[in-house]
Amino acid sequence: MKFYFAPGTISVATAYLMEDAGVAYDPVQLDFKAGDQTGADYLTINPKGRVPALATERGVLTETGAILEYVASLVPDRGLVPDDAWDAAQMRSALHYLASTVHVNHAHKLRGSRWATQQSSFDDMRAKVPETMAASCHYIETNWPLAPYVLGESMSVADPYLFAVCTWLEGDKVEIADYPKLAAHYAMMRDRPAAAAIRAKGITRS
Ligand SMILES: N[C@@H](CCC(=O)N[C@@H](CS)C(=O)NCC(=O)O)C(=O)O
């Protein structure tokens, strides 16, 4: 499967999971500075102009939460999506929170032009990022099991998603050490061979 990514972005979550699950992929790097994501070639692959995108034998899949669940379905023995309906819903609750709140907080740093036109608006949005990201970290620290995984004892696809988000915290001026459970989760995920593999491929520097 071709995997379209840009280093340090949310595509880190999918790459991590594919490495961890032993799912083969062919990484295709986009250069955001050159505007590859909105070039005509890539828009035929993902008309949203975003990464990640995973080209499967059944078509191109986008949206990190959906891609992660698809990858999990390729390795059913790993149990990366809980069988129990409540546990699976808890996992999806975490995925949706990361996608629709935390990722959006982070995007206010560099992507203000999605929501506004004035430089003063961009500056204001950017200035707010450390506060909103810290608030999200506080919420996660106090409401998620993180013992040691997002859902508790078993790893799920929410774990690489949280890992990817944690790679942004230093740049967002959030001190992860202020959130001991989150810091322990990040350290644990960083120590797994999957993290070393995606570092070696230039997908993340963290
Ligand atoms: N909801 C999408 C968001 C994807 C997304 O926003 N990706 C960012 C990188 S983190 C991107 O491609 N940005 C390119 C741009 O805004 O030009 C997902 O979770 O996969």
Side-chain angles (χ1 to χ4, degrees):
M1 294 183 291
K2 279 197 169 153
F3 173 61
Y4 298 87
F5 78 97
T9 65
I10 198 58
S11 40
V12 163
T14 300
Y16 189 111
L17 187 68
M18 291 192 293
E19 294 286 351
D20 202 81
V23 170
Y25 64 101
D26 175 15
V28 181
Q29 183 169 338
L30 274 67
D31 181 349
F32 275 7
K33 285 203 177 110
D36 288 352
Q37 73 274 33
T38 49
D41 288 350
Y42 186 66
L43 289 178
T44 65
I45 294 158
N46 182 4
K48 295 171 190 165
R50 305 275 184 97
V51 293
L54 186 67
T56 78
E57 59 187 14
R58 297 183 62 181
V60 176
L61 193 54
T62 60
E63 297 301 324
T64 298
I67 299 172
L68 292 175
E69 288 210 39
Y70 178 72
V71 171
S73 77
L74 302 176
V75 285
D77 292 350
R78 282 288 306 273
L80 291 164
V81 174
D83 289 334
D84 179 78
W86 174 256
D87 292 345
Q90 291 296 312
M91 182 205 76
R92 292 190 184 104
S93 175
L95 296 185
H96 286 293
Y97 181 68
L98 292 170
S100 62
T101 299
V102 191
H103 191 168
V104 175
N105 291 343
H106 169 76
H108 280 66
K109 186 168 78 177
L110 294 178
R111 302 291 182 198
S113 61
R114 289 181 192 161
W115 300 286
T117 51
Q118 308 292 319
Q119 186 60 46
S120 59
S121 304
F122 305 153
D123 294 344
D124 202 19
M125 281 187 263
R126 181 190 291 252
K128 190 91 177 159
V129 170
E131 182 188 326
T132 56
M133 289 298 275
S136 289
C137 289
H138 176 74
Y139 170 77
I140 291 169
E141 177 78 10
T142 51
N143 291 280
W144 290 6
L146 294 173
Y149 298 105
V150 167
L151 296 179
E153 289 178 7
S154 301
M155 180 169 159
S156 73
V157 302
D159 291 288
Y161 209 140
L162 182 60
F163 170 79
V165 166
C166 285
T167 66
W168 297 335
L169 294 179
E170 190 180 349
D172 288 349
K173 299 192 171 62
V174 174
E175 183 52 71
I176 196 168
D178 292 344
Y179 311 94
K181 286 161 58 188
L182 190 58
H185 180 274
Y186 186 44
M188 173 186 72
M189 295 298 284
R190 244 182 6 187
D191 280 351
R192 291 173 78 97
I198 59 172
R199 278 194 292 271
K201 289 178 182 169
I203 297 172
T204 182
R205 267 183 275 165
S206 302

